């Protein structure tokens, strides 16, 4: 029998402790976001369709991205019990410096298009969190302005080698002069991938006003007010003509870049150099043997070749082949701190976030990027503590099983590209 009594007024009063309403709309929105997917939803509400789709979308059927995210969801963790992990240290040593967290901000082009604070929000948030920030060749904030925003932290510069080598190498010189410590040479973009959402939206740089964009703008006035009252959206370090992003990329990129370019870039860059967009074991080995400081296993967030290898699946084999001391990094599909923990357990030395950062940016500018980092930090710390691990170095492959939905029909022996005949190489 349950014993009942009259409620006491003092107990009732205790229950009625209403929280003070948060009057700052941005803070209220961001505090309510508990995951990167929550930030993605807010970003979608607040950003014009064409800009959101440019960010959120990938190439062709978007299978590379969907599969990469699925691969992270298909992780099984193996915790140890009764191993106290009261204080979790999330910091790592990467490319000659410390990072407070095992991830940095990936290079993204046109960032001020997503939200007007753009790269400054990313660099400022990275500075505050003690993690590296990467500025894209197609950035909309200048090398020098990024340095001014993050004067004491780590800035990396991402290089696209363009047809006009002088432009590319001029940027390399400016990044070196501004004290950027690492050059990230992206090699998976000989031509632009087919971003079908951009085509369907008629998306162009600069954005064009059509009846559709105007109707879409009505519930998103702040983006347009920002857009119309801040400096013109253009590449900060390049001069370009307009067009779709694909057209801009195709006019700027050189499909004939090769290992010779890499050799030259190494001769002019004083800092660390890493190659981004590596997608097989043979290329990984070749690059590490050539003495580059690191590689990024990446399929460009699924924005280039669709149905590309899943970087997270490639990771264990690459680490086995290049040795556990080589700096192997990974990106594409990271939406949760647990994805980062799993990557580090399987031998990655660092990870990069692209869209997770941009969803935060679109959801709330600088405060939104801070929120992205906070969400990932909390997830990393919680996952580590639940695994019984108190530092990143303690993570081991045994902590993670990759559950595979897709297995190859037959495993080819080696996937090294065959050398081209000398005459054909330049055609
Ligand atoms: C909107 C957008 C723009 C990007 N621009 C560049 C770029 O200019 N240079 C580059 O090397 N990678 C670029 N990337 C790829 C990212 O650096 C990174 O590889 C990718 O976003 C990782 O996948 P994730 O978005 O799932 O984290 C871009 C990605 C996005 C989403």
């Amino acid at each position: 029998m349950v014993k009942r009594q009259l409620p006491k007024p003092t107990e009732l009063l205790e229950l009625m402790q209403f929280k003070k309403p948060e009057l700052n709309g941005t803070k209220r929105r961001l505090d309510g976001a508990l995951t990167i997917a929550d930030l993605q939803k807010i970003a979608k509400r607040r950003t014009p369709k064409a800009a959101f789709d440019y960010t959120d979308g990938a190439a062709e059927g978007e299978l590379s991205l969907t599969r990469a995210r699925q691969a992270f969801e298909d992780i099984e963790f193996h915790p140890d019990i009764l191993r106290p992990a009261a204080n979790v240290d999330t910091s790592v040593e990467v490319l000659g410096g410390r990072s407070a967290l095992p991830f940095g901000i990936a290079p993204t082009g046109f960032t001020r298009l997503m939200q007007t604070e753009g790269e400054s929000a990313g660099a400022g948030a990275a500075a505050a969190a003690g993690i590296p920030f990467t500025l894209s060749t197609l950035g909309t904030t200048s090398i020098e302005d990024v340095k001014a925003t993050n004067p004491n932290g780590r800035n990396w510069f991402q290089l696209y080698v363009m047809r006009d080598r002088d432009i590319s190498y001029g940027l390399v010189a400016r990044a070196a002069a501004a004290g950027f410590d690492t050059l990230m040479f992206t090699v998976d973009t000989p031509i632009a991938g087919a971003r079908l959402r951009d085509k369907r939206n008629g998306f162009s740089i600069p954005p064009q006003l059509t009846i559709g964009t105007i109707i879409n703008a009505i519930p998103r006035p702040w983006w347009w007010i920002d857009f119309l009252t801040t400096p013109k959206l253009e590449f900060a370090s390049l001069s370009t003509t307009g067009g779709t992003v694909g057209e801009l990329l195709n006019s700027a990129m050189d499909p004939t870049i090769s290992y010779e370019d890499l050799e030259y870039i190494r001769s002019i860059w004083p800092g660390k150099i890493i190659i981004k967009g590596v997608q097989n074991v043979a290329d990984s080995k070749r690059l590490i043997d050539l003495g580059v400081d690191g590689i990024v296993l990446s399929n460009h967030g699924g924005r280039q070749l669709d149905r590309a290898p899943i970087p997270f699946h490639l990771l264990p084999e690459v680490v086995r082949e290049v040795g556990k001391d080589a700096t192997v990094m990974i990106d594409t599909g990271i939406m949760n701190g647990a994805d980062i923990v799993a990557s580090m357990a399987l031998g990655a030395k660092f990870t990069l976030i692209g869209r997770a950062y941009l969803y935060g940016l679109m959801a709330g500018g600088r405060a939104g990027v801070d929120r992205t980092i906070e969400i990932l930090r909390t997830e990393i710390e919680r996952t580590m503590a639940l695994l019984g691990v108190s530092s990143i170095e303690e993570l081991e492959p045994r902590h993670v099983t990759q559950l595979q939905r897709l297995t190859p029909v037959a495993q080819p022996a080696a996937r090294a590209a065959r050398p081209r005949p000398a005459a054909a190489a330049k055609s």
Side-chain angles (χ1 to χ4, degrees):
M1 274 290 281
V2 177
K3 223 174 117 196
R4 294 191 187 273
Q5 61 183 32
L6 279 175
K8 292 189 190 130
T10 50
E11 281 174 1
L12 266 178
L13 267 178
E14 250 173 57
L15 291 176
M16 286 161 58
Q17 309 273 335
F18 296 116
K19 261 201 346 208
K20 226 171 85 200
E22 177 56 66
L23 299 178
N24 179 329
T26 308
K27 188 164 181 334
R28 197 172 54 238
R29 252 192 333 274
L30 295 174
D31 286 351
L34 303 181
T35 63
I36 301 299
D38 290 344
L39 289 175
Q40 180 185 20
K41 281 191 206 119
I42 301 170
K44 187 170 183 177
R45 278 205 308 271
R46 297 183 59 81
T47 316
K49 180 169 167 47
F52 177 81
D53 275 352
Y54 166 66
T55 311
D56 190 61
E60 318 247 4
E62 307 194 352
L63 294 168
S64 290
L65 179 62
T66 310
R67 288 178 186 173
R69 284 185 176 164
Q70 187 66 56
F72 280 125
E73 284 181 17
D74 291 345
I75 289 165
E76 185 176 79
F77 281 119
H78 304 283
D80 294 324
I81 53 154
L82 301 176
R83 277 174 60 108
N87 296 311
V88 169
D89 177 4
T90 57
S91 69
V92 291
E93 184 80 12
V94 63
L95 298 168
R98 266 337 260 178
S99 173
L101 293 160
F103 66 89
I105 294 187
T108 58
F110 307 99
T111 312
R112 283 203 301 116
L113 169 82
M114 291 118 202
Q115 201 273 353
T116 196
E117 294 171 49
E119 288 89 354
S120 301
I131 64 173
F133 173 79
T134 317
L135 175 65
S136 163
T137 291
L138 303 179
T140 42
T141 303
S142 74
I143 290 169
E144 294 73 19
D145 284 351
V146 164
K147 177 66 185 178
T149 307
N150 184 17
N152 306 314
R154 301 184 69 187
N155 293 302
W156 297 355
F157 184 73
Q158 178 266 325
L159 176 71
Y160 279 131
V161 170
M162 285 169 278
R163 291 171 203 268
D164 186 338
R165 295 288 196 274
D166 288 347
I167 297 182
S168 293
Y169 300 151
L171 295 176
V172 172
R174 271 172 65 186
F180 281 45
D181 66 69
T182 296
L183 188 70
M184 183 185 283
F185 177 21
T186 299
V187 294
D188 56 13
T189 319
I191 59 167
R195 321 264 169 88
L196 300 184
R197 290 202 215 181
D198 294 353
K199 286 243 183 241
R200 293 195 174 111
N201 290 330
F203 174 55
S204 63
I205 304 274
Q208 302 292 316
L209 279 182
T210 61
I211 298 286
T213 34
I214 291 167
I215 293 171
N216 187 258
I218 294 168
R220 299 168 175 84
W222 287 112
W223 189 95
W224 285 96
I225 290 168
D226 281 344
F227 178 69
L228 296 170
T229 58
T230 53
K232 191 172 163 221
L233 183 74
E234 56 192 357
F235 296 127
S237 309
L238 298 172
S239 54
T240 50
T241 51
T244 65
V245 177
E247 282 158 7
L248 286 175
L249 276 178
N250 279 335
S251 67
M253 299 311 148
D254 186 344
T256 72
I257 57 164
S258 69
Y259 277 90
E260 280 167 35
D261 295 285
L262 172 60
E263 236 170 80
Y264 181 73
I265 294 161
R266 288 181 75 192
S267 75
I268 59 169
W269 177 253
K272 304 280 186 192
I273 181 158
I274 58 181
I275 312 299
K276 172 169 177 276
V278 181
Q279 299 190 61
N280 68 39
V281 175
D283 284 339
S284 306
K285 273 188 83 166
R286 180 165 178 188
L287 288 163
I288 297 294
D289 288 348
L290 278 174
V292 301
D293 298 292
I295 56 174
V296 187
L297 302 180
S298 166
N299 63 37
H300 211 111
R303 298 164 75 81
Q304 286 297 109
L305 177 67
D306 203 14
R307 306 166 201 249
I310 299 165
F312 182 60
H313 282 175
L314 263 182
L315 178 66
E317 200 188 345
V318 167
V319 171
R320 201 163 44 242
E321 290 297 319
V322 300
K324 63 177 179 32
D325 294 332
T327 301
V328 178
M329 308 190 187
I330 181 169
D331 78 11
T332 300
I334 291 174
M335 289 286 281
N336 191 300
D339 305 343
I340 296 171
V341 171
S343 301
M344 302 302 286
L346 293 181
K349 290 284 188 292
F350 205 57
T351 62
L352 299 171
I353 54 160
R355 291 181 187 80
Y357 141 62
L358 298 173
Y359 294 143
L361 177 67
M362 292 186 283
R366 163 66 196 274
V369 185
D370 288 339
R371 185 75 187 134
T372 287
I373 296 173
E374 192 48 41
I375 288 172
L376 293 176
R377 182 207 312 274
T378 311
E379 289 167 344
I380 291 170
E381 286 174 348
R382 190 169 54 234
T383 307
M384 288 172 66
L386 288 171
L387 281 173
V389 158
S390 51
S391 73
I392 297 282
E393 293 78 55
E394 284 176 36
L395 286 166
E396 292 176 33
R398 70 182 177 83
H399 287 116
V400 178
T401 305
Q402 294 179 318
L403 307 173
Q404 297 228 16
R405 282 165 203 258
L406 304 167
T407 46
V409 173
Q411 190 76 43
R415 287 204 185 81
R418 271 181 293 152
R420 293 203 182 120
K426 284 281 164 202
S427 63

